[in-house]
Amino acid sequence: MIVARTIAECREHRARLEGPVALVPTMGALHAGHVSLIEAAKKRAAHVVASIFVNPTQFGPREDFNKYPRPIEDDLRKCDEAGVALVFNPSVEEMYRPSLVPITIEMPQLSGVLEGKHRPGHFAGVCQVVAKLLNIIRPNVAVFGQKDYQQFRVIQAMVDALDWPIDVFMCPTVRERDGMAMSSRNQYLSSDERERALAISRALFLAQGEVKAGVKQANRLTALMQNTLLDPGKLGRVPVAVDYVAAVDPMTFKGVELVTGPTLLAIAARVGTTRLIDNVIVTPENAT
Ligand code: AMP
């Protein structure tokens, strides 16, 4: 496995990869969710390129950019074991040379709602870095996780709108045995906070169960999720602070009133100082 730290090195090694290439962009602190993307990427291309870059432009001023975990040696070992051909691990200065002018790619309909509303500028930063990565690596396929569904959809829409010849592919969320979505940020949680955070996946699964049982009214689903997130239960305290609970069309992010087709149920909530997101896509039993 080759590790490139500069754009020039990355381009040089990329040019030597013959046949289809799949890119898996990450911020490192790799877990089984990331490895599942690499495995899926291997099935879709002859070579897998992974990027490991904690992108400052997608973090807000009061967010966790500085404390975000960076276990690079572990990450490189995991990439190597998973069969990655080339890792691109640039510095912030390499990606954002001081001479570059600021540039933003905006699509308010998709990037101004949900996460975008609560994290202003987040998706502008995501689009900026992913656009650069796609242009540096020029993959045939780019693989993203459903865990960050809105990110996947925003990037898919960017690639579509700009006619880049890249197949943007989404993989399912990998979860712990108890249902909690794997996330690099889970390591911030104390054991008490982790227990409380479980309310997020529990809320989504309860709503999913209701859809299976035939419930179609979106407001019943969002109320059920809200109540689950705020139910002190046996913990004796409200588990999380809710940023949003949503039931939206997974393509347009417009709110839905009735679940008559695929619907994204999404939650963002804070546990202590850690902000977590999770989602499921539900489909009514009789949908075509
Ligand atoms: P991150 O390193 O958190 O920026 O994530 C890099 C990629 O891994 C993104 O496409 C995420 O959606 C994906 N990812 C993160 N967590 C999971 C998970 N639990 N299951 C599947 N994909 C994930």
Side-chain angles (χ1 to χ4, degrees), residues 25-27 31 33-34 37 68 144-145 147-148 151 172-174 182:
T26 81
M27 298 204 299
H31 50 65
H34 298 108
L37 303 188
Y68 200 86
F144 295 87
K147 160 75 174 39
D148 302 273
Q151 167 174 274
T173 302
V174 175
M182 289 192 183

Side-chain angles (χ1 to χ4, degrees), residues 1-11 13-14 23-28 48-54 72 76 79 84-91 94-95 97 129 132-137:
M1 185 180 78
I2 289 168
V3 182
R5 312 237 183 228
T6 67
I7 294 170
E9 266 178 288
C10 185
R11 284 193 197 279
H13 291 294
R14 158 63 179 105
L23 171 65
V24 180
T26 81
M27 298 204 299
V48 178
V49 178
S51 60
I52 300 178
F53 179 61
V54 185
I72 188 63
L76 293 177
C79 286
V84 170
L86 169 62
V87 173
F88 181 43
N89 174 223
S91 65
E94 177 69 10
M95 286 296 268
R97 303 182 293 287
V129 76
K132 284 168 72 76
L133 292 170
L134 294 176
N135 284 323
I136 293 164
I137 292 147

Side-chain angles (χ1 to χ4, degrees), residues 11-12 79 82 90 142 166 221 235 257 267 272 277 281:
R11 284 193 197 279
E12 187 189 318
C79 286
I166 300 168
L221 302 175
L235 294 168
E257 281 176 22
I267 293 175
I277 56 171
I281 296 176

Side-chain angles (χ1 to χ4, degrees), residues 25-51:
T26 81
M27 298 204 299
L30 302 183
H31 50 65
H34 298 108
V35 174
S36 78
L37 303 188
I38 296 171
E39 295 297 338
K42 281 199 288 198
K43 296 203 179 97
R44 284 175 175 77
H47 307 282
V48 178
V49 178
S51 60

Side-chain angles (χ1 to χ4, degrees), residues 192-238:
D192 168 63
E193 287 172 336
R194 195 188 175 291
E195 177 107 19
R196 283 154 55 201
L198 264 182
I200 300 171
S201 52
R202 197 182 321 125
L204 291 167
F205 296 151
L206 283 173
Q208 193 169 41
E210 290 294 279
V211 175
K212 275 220 171 77
V215 172
K216 295 219 177 337
Q217 295 95 323
N219 60 8
R220 276 182 61 184
L221 302 175
T222 49
L224 173 64
M225 290 193 280
Q226 283 276 7
N227 292 340
T228 307
L229 294 169
L230 301 178
D231 177 11
K234 64 177 170 27
L235 294 168
R237 58 183 291 195
V238 171

